[in-house]
Amino acid sequence: CTEGQIARWDGAGWVCSHDVGVEYSRTRVVGPVGTPTDNGAVLLDTLGSIPTPASQADAWLLKIEPGIYDIGSTPFEMKSWVNVEGSGEGVTLIRGAICESGWTFTTGVVEGAQSSELRSLSVENTCSGSNQNSTAIYNNGDNARFSRVTARAFGAAAYNHAVYNEGLDVVFEFITAESGGATDTNRGLVDGGTGVRLTNARVSGLAGGVSSTGLELFGGGTEVSDVVVIARNATSSTRAIFNGASNVVFTNLTATASSTHGGQQLGMYASQGGFTMFDSNIGAEDAAHLDDMAGGPVVLNGTTLNGSRYGIHAEVSSSVSLDLFINHSVVRGPTNTIRFDYADVYVGGTQLAGGGAWNI
């Protein structure tokens, strides 16, 4: 064994581990042993030494002490029924340089797993390839949970994602997801799963690129509550929220989009299915833009749309039937408060401030 380790019997053979002074039945503890690279190697080895549980009855906990754990180009692949807990977002960091090419988004520094939880730490992807994609956290495990986690992807990659989810019934709570620096696209959190809950979070697409999006949804049945979404400074398309999902419910959402480079600046860009929004505040050049949506309706209740051009623009074609309901809200837009093409718009108990409503 190396310095600081002891030999112990794990029931099947002798293994080397750190002498933590306490014997646990289903918990492994990892602490720093040297450089960040040394720490990362120990972290991966310890995860690999945990037997893969068959069910909740065999669950394990991997506890990570404060420190920087650099895992290089090897993803930290979580296991079902194994929770991973750091010692706080500000003191425990899992860092790696995990790169992908083309339109492939299937891995990250941390890869989630079914029925597992990642909590109380930070994850950072430092991939810097000029034509590469980087993702801090990638998940395709159902019923996974991410709590009190900070995820960052700020390399020089073509696409940067702080979080990319394709799992079902996943919970994200008290998380921070930030991306920026990509030459093409920066996205804070991308969700392609269904039945996902995102609550008490801050997600951001920042710092340049052709396209910047804070939150992108293309699954269905997503619940978003108490979330701040920010998009900044893309050269072509800056969107706080891109909603291509159906049956989404937003509650107490704050979303802003702005760019010093011009281009499209949208607080909410929505296509495909309808959504419902309660008690929210959206600000951008066009606060909300609905584009050829089918399967609505769209319902806004107790929401402020603060546009520097349009409050809301329903730009749908004649072949699409869209019902838009705006109740007990405030809609501001100097050019048009409401601009709609081939949509049925119902407004009740709502203040329209700025330009008049306009129908093509």
Side-chain angles (χ1 to χ4, degrees), residues 46-136:
T46 304
L47 177 65
S49 72
I50 297 176
T52 302
S55 67
Q56 185 178 11
D58 303 315
W60 281 73
L61 170 65
L62 174 58
K63 175 68 178 179
I64 309 175
E65 289 188 307
I68 299 175
Y69 299 81
D70 195 321
I71 59 176
S73 59
T74 303
F76 182 86
E77 299 178 5
M78 295 181 64
K79 299 179 179 181
S80 297
W81 304 111
V82 177
N83 289 352
V84 177
E85 179 183 73
S87 299
E89 295 166 79
V91 297
T92 302
L93 171 64
I94 300 177
R95 184 176 69 194
I98 312 296
C99 300
E100 294 182 283
S101 60
W103 290 88
T104 304
F105 312 118
T106 58
T107 187
V109 173
V110 172
E111 297 181 3
Q114 180 176 340
S115 303
S116 66
E117 180 175 352
L118 182 73
R119 60 180 180 262
S120 299
L121 51 75
S122 295
V123 181
E124 181 179 328
N125 195 332
T126 61
C127 169
S128 59
S130 60
N131 295 310
Q132 301 293 307
N133 309 322
S134 73
T135 301

Side-chain angles (χ1 to χ4, degrees), residues 112-201:
Q114 180 176 340
S115 303
S116 66
E117 180 175 352
L118 182 73
R119 60 180 180 262
S120 299
L121 51 75
S122 295
V123 181
E124 181 179 328
N125 195 332
T126 61
C127 169
S128 59
S130 60
N131 295 310
Q132 301 293 307
N133 309 322
S134 73
T135 301
I137 297 175
Y138 172 79
N139 176 65
N140 66 354
D142 300 341
N143 300 300
R145 179 181 292 266
F146 300 84
S147 179
R148 301 190 184 280
V149 171
T150 295
R152 295 189 179 95
F154 275 86
Y159 284 79
N160 280 331
H161 303 118
V163 178
Y164 200 107
N165 174 66
E166 294 183 296
L168 311 181
D169 300 316
V170 176
V171 175
F172 296 96
E173 58 181 0
F174 297 101
I175 70 164
T176 300
E178 298 178 341
S179 71
T183 55
D184 194 317
T185 300
N186 298 294
R187 299 184 181 114
L189 188 150
V190 180
D191 174 36
T194 59
V196 172
R197 289 195 293 123
L198 172 64
T199 181
N200 293 289

Side-chain angles (χ1 to χ4, degrees), residues 208-229:
V210 175
S211 175
S212 176
T213 304
L215 175 63
E216 183 164 328
L217 308 173
F218 57 92
T222 307
E223 297 179 18
V224 179
S225 62
D226 300 297
V227 173
V228 176
V229 183

Side-chain angles (χ1 to χ4, degrees), residues 234-253:
T235 58
S236 179
S237 177
T238 305
R239 300 166 174 174
I241 299 174
F242 184 112
N243 181 37
S246 58
N247 302 317
V248 180
V249 178
F250 299 94
T251 304
N252 196 24
L253 168 74

